[in-house]
Amino acid sequence: MPSLKDLKDRITSVRSTQKITKAMQMVAAAKLRRAEEAATAARPYAQRIETVLGNLAAGLTPGAPGPKLLTGTGKDQVHLLVVATADRGLCGGFNSSIVRLARERIVSLQGQGKTVRLFTIGKKGRDQLKRLYGDLILEHYDTEGTKTVGFEQAKDVADRLLALYEEGAFDVATIFYGRFQSVIAQVPTASQVIPAKPPARPQDAAPVAPYEYEPDEEAILTTLLPRYVAVQVFRALLENAASEQGARMSAMDNATRNAGEMIDTLNLQYNRARQAQITTELVEIIAGAESV
Amino acid sequence: MAKLPFSLVTPEREYASGEADSVLVPGTEGLFEVQANHAPLMSTLSPGILVIRNAGTERRLFVRGGFADVNPEGLTVLAEVAIPEDELKGDVLGRQKQAAQKALSEGGTPEQVLEQQRAVDVLAGY
């Protein structure tokens, strides 16, 4: 049976923890709103670039040798998994669920006899993957110290990916991130970035107006594809940022509620202990008085 | 005169949208001006000043890296960087200059060198 003082200390400690989790929840909520705004603001560019790419790709003759970024290297041997996670923990299962999905993919690819390489973005993912697959990690992109996701970062990552691709370091690149569905649900998602998969044009879409191209189709495609890769990375990073805050918000909400319940139980225990003490003292006094 | 529906988007947000009388676009193969009912055209951008003219007013923006897409629905400019001309000073200008200089010194294909040279030239005027 803990003493009265112990109980009191525990209550104070839990109460201050609750204050911290509550504050973290509110900060996450504010950041989540900003992250969601950023994700919405980035949507028009992504949509336009998709339409343009779709139009251009539709104009290519199938089977003809196109840019390597679009058609692939013709092999499917080396897979690069880009695992994007957060730099910080305390956000529920957010980081581990992305890592778990990546790990399942690694196991299944290795089972098929493929070579797997890793490119990690964010500290937590690297820390978790280092233990088992440290020798597979090819590169790491540090996002620490940056508060908001900017296109510059996405471009840096995309440039590194493209350079690696040019060197022939991998054949297929897939990015793993948490897709933001709602504050409670973030879905770990894998999407292929290289070779680029332009969105299929709907069958009933109006035929593309005969465009005039300056300088020419090929030159446009070669400048457009790297941008498309960057846009996809950017989108993944933005979704990830929103998901992280969402996950942290609900995790901290749970923690706050848990702390509340704990305080209630501890208070009950404390009161019981206090009453028991008073009763014992009274019994002692009465017993003492009677014996006189 | 018919108005040209127009939008300028950067990866981070939709920068400007609306209608304009005409838009002067710095294309890789030269400046061109787009008015309403322009023939469909797709051009890459060269670093330079984009001029939006509407009802006697002019908005000038520095743009770099991207495309201009003219289709029957209007003009869409996808630029990686877009900065209003009057904000092009001090720190912002310095950073752009530095980036262009650095990219120029790194070299690359003749087209890339030409593009960076243009960026340096345009920025040197401020």
Side-chain angles (χ1 to χ4, degrees), chain A residues 220-242:
Chain A
I220 288 187
L221 207 54
T222 43
T223 47
L224 191 130
L225 284 169
R227 295 227 160 85
Y228 184 62
V229 172
V231 162
Q232 282 193 310
V233 174
F234 188 43
R235 182 191 293 171
L237 292 183
L238 284 172
E239 291 260 348
N240 230 6

Side-chain angles (χ1 to χ4, degrees), chain B residues 15 49-50 56 62 79-80 90 92 97-98 105 107-109 116 121:
Chain B
Y15 212 88
I49 302 292
L50 183 93
F62 172 72
E80 227 158 78
V92 182
K97 271 187 177 164
Q98 234 169 35
S105 63
T109 63
Q116 297 309 334
D121 289 348

Side-chain angles (χ1 to χ4, degrees), chain B residues 5 22-23 26 29 40 52 56 61-62 67 71 78 90 94-96 102 122:
Chain B
S22 77
V23 179
E29 306 212 318
I52 307 162
L61 298 118
F62 172 72
F67 310 86
N71 55 34
L78 298 163
R95 262 205 304 278
Q96 289 296 327
K102 188 166 156 264
V122 170

Side-chain angles (χ1 to χ4, degrees), chain B residues 83-103:
Chain B
I83 305 165
E85 199 181 36
D86 48 7
E87 283 173 27
L88 204 57
K89 55 192 170 202
D91 271 4
V92 182
L93 179 61
R95 262 205 304 278
Q96 289 296 327
K97 271 187 177 164
Q98 234 169 35
Q101 290 283 10
K102 188 166 156 264

Side-chain angles (χ1 to χ4, degrees), chain A residues 26-258:
Chain A
M26 287 191 298
V27 170
K31 282 192 179 160
L32 171 67
R33 221 194 48 222
R34 231 174 305 145
E36 270 189 301
E37 273 167 15
T40 331
R43 217 159 278 153
Y45 187 88
Q47 273 168 357
R48 307 274 181 162
I49 209 159
E50 266 178 13
T51 332
V52 171
L53 186 62
N55 284 348
L56 275 172
L60 287 179
T61 30
K68 212 167 70 164
L69 265 178
L70 198 59
T71 53
T73 51
K75 284 180 293 176
D76 168 37
Q77 185 51 41
V78 186
H79 285 252
L80 181 74
L81 309 188
V82 185
V83 184
T85 50
D87 282 322
R88 301 216 220 151
L90 288 181
C91 44
F94 172 70
N95 290 318
S96 12
S97 66
I98 296 174
V99 169
R100 194 180 319 119
L101 183 69
R103 224 161 34 208
E104 278 163 12
R105 186 64 71 87
I106 296 173
V107 171
S108 97
L109 282 171
Q110 280 179 338
Q112 292 165 27
K114 313 270 189 209
T115 319
V116 179
R117 294 277 158 75
L118 295 171
F119 185 124
T120 53
I121 304 174
K123 202 170 106 207
K124 284 287 160 185
R126 188 192 51 182
D127 291 352
Q128 289 189 18
L129 284 165
K130 208 159 55 180
R131 261 172 263 150
L132 269 167
Y133 299 107
D135 47 333
L136 299 181
I137 297 181
L138 201 60
E139 272 206 57
H140 170 71
Y141 185 79
D142 205 1
T143 49
E144 248 177 311
T146 43
K147 279 189 190 134
T148 48
V149 186
F151 187 65
E152 285 299 310
Q153 275 175 287
K155 204 165 176 278
D156 277 351
V157 173
D159 284 347
R160 285 210 217 168
L161 282 178
L162 294 170
L164 286 171
Y165 190 60
E166 278 300 310
E167 286 167 18
F170 64 89
D171 301 313
V172 181
T174 317
I175 190 162
F176 289 78
Y177 64 98
R179 193 160 56 80
F180 183 79
Q181 206 166 52
S182 71
V183 179
I184 350 170
Q186 298 88 28
V187 192
T189 309
S191 75
Q192 184 181 321
V193 280
I194 296 176
K197 273 198 203 151
R201 277 170 57 79
Q203 287 296 325
D204 55 345
V208 189
Y211 265 105
E212 202 157 319
Y213 292 100
E214 265 183 36
D216 54 54
E217 268 172 277
E218 207 187 316
I220 288 187
L221 207 54
T222 43
T223 47
L224 191 130
L225 284 169
R227 295 227 160 85
Y228 184 62
V229 172
V231 162
Q232 282 193 310
V233 174
F234 188 43
R235 182 191 293 171
L237 292 183
L238 284 172
E239 291 260 348
N240 230 6
S243 297
E244 180 198 343
Q245 299 307 340
R248 177 162 300 130
M249 204 176 121
S250 52
M252 287 302 118
D253 186 40
N254 280 339
T256 312
R257 208 166 321 130
N258 257 342

